[in-house]
Amino acid sequence: MATLGLGIIIYIVFNETVDLTGGPSGLSGIPNLSINGITFDSDLKNYYLVWVFTLLMVLFSLNLANSRIGRALRAVHDSEVAARVVGVNARLLKVQIFAVSAVFCALAGSLYAHTMTFISPASFGFTFSVELLTMVVIGGLGSIYGSFLGAALLTLLPEFLRAAHDYDIIIYGGLLMLMVIYMPGGLVRGIPELYRKLLKSKGKTALKSEGGVEHA
């Protein structure tokens, strides 16, 4: 909630600082990204560019999650007090992982700006922040692949919500609450757990039916 509130404050500041950010009109004429003489000025080139950066960030995230730092971060997540007792510097780790996430966001924002060649505060309003949060929660907090699943679902969902455009933020909020209540681990963990529960219930039903046949 604090992050969402800070996003609203920044949104207002960007709207008001017209000389610096262009205000509501934004900034246009941003050049396409050029690397070693290769200019990414087409949709196909930008597609490959974005996916190369995405795969590099995924590999980095997987290595980080499986490293000593990743294990320390999971320990802080489970119990910060217990992590401190075994010698984990929780405060330093939080600052470091916050800086890493800021680098990820900066790379994503830079790619977005050079791909669209235009940015404005309206593109990153409160609704967009809620969408990003919903993507992560639906896919699965703490899951790298879950973020992809959540992003795919929330990218396709607006196509089915065109008729309810004025109520899309309510629908996103409802999905967010439902996932937190019934699937706190997201779809990545929730679907396998649901599958195991179904198999278990089917097994119990089969045992009861077999017992009834033997009894008869």
Side-chain angles (χ1 to χ4, degrees):
M1 295 304 297
T3 305
L4 290 176
L6 179 61
I8 294 174
I9 294 172
I10 294 175
Y11 173 79
I12 295 173
V13 171
F14 282 177
N15 266 322
E16 297 299 325
T17 53
V18 179
D19 294 335
L20 181 63
T21 65
S25 300
L27 298 175
S28 59
I30 300 173
N32 293 111
L33 186 65
S34 180
I35 301 176
N36 289 333
I38 302 175
T39 302
F40 296 87
D41 52 358
S42 66
D43 292 338
L44 184 61
K45 290 180 179 179
N46 284 316
Y47 174 82
Y48 289 121
L49 174 68
V50 170
W51 269 109
V52 166
F53 272 91
T54 301
L55 293 176
L56 288 175
M57 293 301 100
V58 169
L59 290 175
F60 177 83
S61 300
L62 290 173
N63 287 329
L64 180 63
N66 295 322
S67 67
R68 179 177 59 85
I69 296 176
R71 291 190 290 272
L73 288 169
R74 286 194 293 272
V76 172
H77 175 268
D78 293 336
S79 175
E80 185 172 338
V81 175
R84 289 178 181 273
V85 169
V86 297
V88 175
N89 191 338
R91 180 177 298 179
L92 178 61
L93 278 176
K94 288 180 180 180
V95 173
Q96 289 175 336
I97 201 64
F98 185 83
V100 170
S101 66
V103 171
F104 278 32
C105 293
L107 286 173
S110 299
L111 288 174
Y112 177 85
H114 287 293
T115 300
M116 303 301 295
T117 68
F118 169 79
I119 54 173
S120 69
S123 303
F124 306 98
F126 178 74
T127 302
F128 183 68
S129 298
V130 174
E131 288 179 13
L132 293 179
L133 179 62
T134 308
M135 287 177 185
V136 177
V137 173
I138 287 179
L141 291 169
S143 171
I144 296 173
Y145 300 112
S147 301
F148 282 92
L149 178 60
L153 291 176
L154 266 295
T155 301
L156 296 174
L157 185 61
E159 300 299 324
F160 300 97
L161 298 179
R162 290 187 180 276
H165 179 69
D166 295 334
Y167 304 97
D168 54 353
I169 189 65
I170 299 176
I171 296 173
Y172 289 139
L175 284 173
L176 191 60
M177 289 190 294
L178 289 174
M179 293 301 300
V180 170
I181 294 172
Y182 296 105
M183 281 190 181
L187 293 176
V188 170
R189 297 180 182 177
I191 291 177
E193 289 179 1
L194 182 61
Y195 180 70
R196 285 193 293 268
K197 288 180 180 179
L198 289 174
L199 288 179
K200 192 174 181 179
S201 63
K202 286 183 180 180
K204 289 182 178 179
T205 304
L207 287 175
K208 287 181 179 179
S209 62
E210 290 177 2
V213 171
E214 291 178 359
H215 181 71

